[in-house]
Amino acid sequence: MLPYERFDAWRAAHELVLDVYRATNGFPPPEKYGLTIQARRAAFSVAANIAEGSAKRGPREFRRYLDISIGSLSELAYTMQLARDLGLLTNEDWSRIDEWRNKTGKLVSGLCKKLRPTNPPRNSLHQGQ
């Protein structure tokens, strides 16, 4: 098992990527370089940043990559909303992807919280008190 595979957040993100790829397979050819690629890149970015961040030195760097993943989840949410509103994505596909996106977001946020320092640096004004 690769180091990032131990994280529930990465496993959920991977399922999200797979689901987005399946759902966008039915998009029309003119969208190949539009919404299809944008949705896939955003979904891929979520999982890839978790994987890359887990290999960095220290929790601070990892949290930075998790933050990028959270941004990519927001980008994906809008991309899928637009696809649904344009009639490119069925309500069923939208609901399933949105559930994975919400689950992944909660897991990534939870992982980010776990990586926060337990004793944040004290403000110099309060030192010695």
Side-chain angles (χ1 to χ4, degrees), residues 9-24 27 34-51 65-66 68-80 97-98 100-101 104-105 108:
W10 179 85
R11 289 193 294 274
H14 181 66
E15 289 300 323
L16 177 62
V17 173
L18 294 173
D19 214 5
V20 167
Y21 265 75
R22 289 181 194 117
T24 57
F27 283 14
L35 286 176
T36 302
I37 193 117
Q38 198 65 33
R40 289 176 174 189
R41 282 182 175 184
F44 174 80
S45 175
V46 176
N49 276 292
I50 295 168
Y65 281 84
L66 294 174
I68 294 167
S69 289
I70 291 169
S72 294
L73 285 166
S74 292
E75 179 182 357
L76 178 63
Y78 174 67
T79 305
M80 294 289 88
I97 289 169
D98 200 48
W100 273 117
R101 188 188 55 77
T104 302
V108 172

Side-chain angles (χ1 to χ4, degrees), residues 94-109:
W94 158 258
S95 294
R96 191 180 57 253
I97 289 169
D98 200 48
E99 283 179 35
W100 273 117
R101 188 188 55 77
N102 282 324
K103 179 179 181 173
T104 302
K106 288 176 185 174
L107 290 168
V108 172
S109 292

Side-chain angles (χ1 to χ4, degrees), residues 79-90:
T79 305
M80 294 289 88
Q81 179 183 6
L82 179 59
R84 182 197 62 194
D85 293 350
L86 290 171
L88 302 174
L89 191 65
T90 66

Side-chain angles (χ1 to χ4, degrees), residues 7 49-50 52-70 108 111-121:
F7 296 111
N49 276 292
I50 295 168
E52 186 175 356
S54 71
K56 296 296 179 182
R57 296 178 189 213
R60 185 176 183 196
E61 275 292 295
F62 192 8
R63 284 193 320 270
R64 188 170 70 84
Y65 281 84
L66 294 174
D67 191 49
I68 294 167
S69 289
I70 291 169
V108 172
L111 182 54
C112 204
K113 286 178 186 173
K114 285 183 182 179
L115 293 171
R116 283 194 187 127
T118 53
N119 295 320

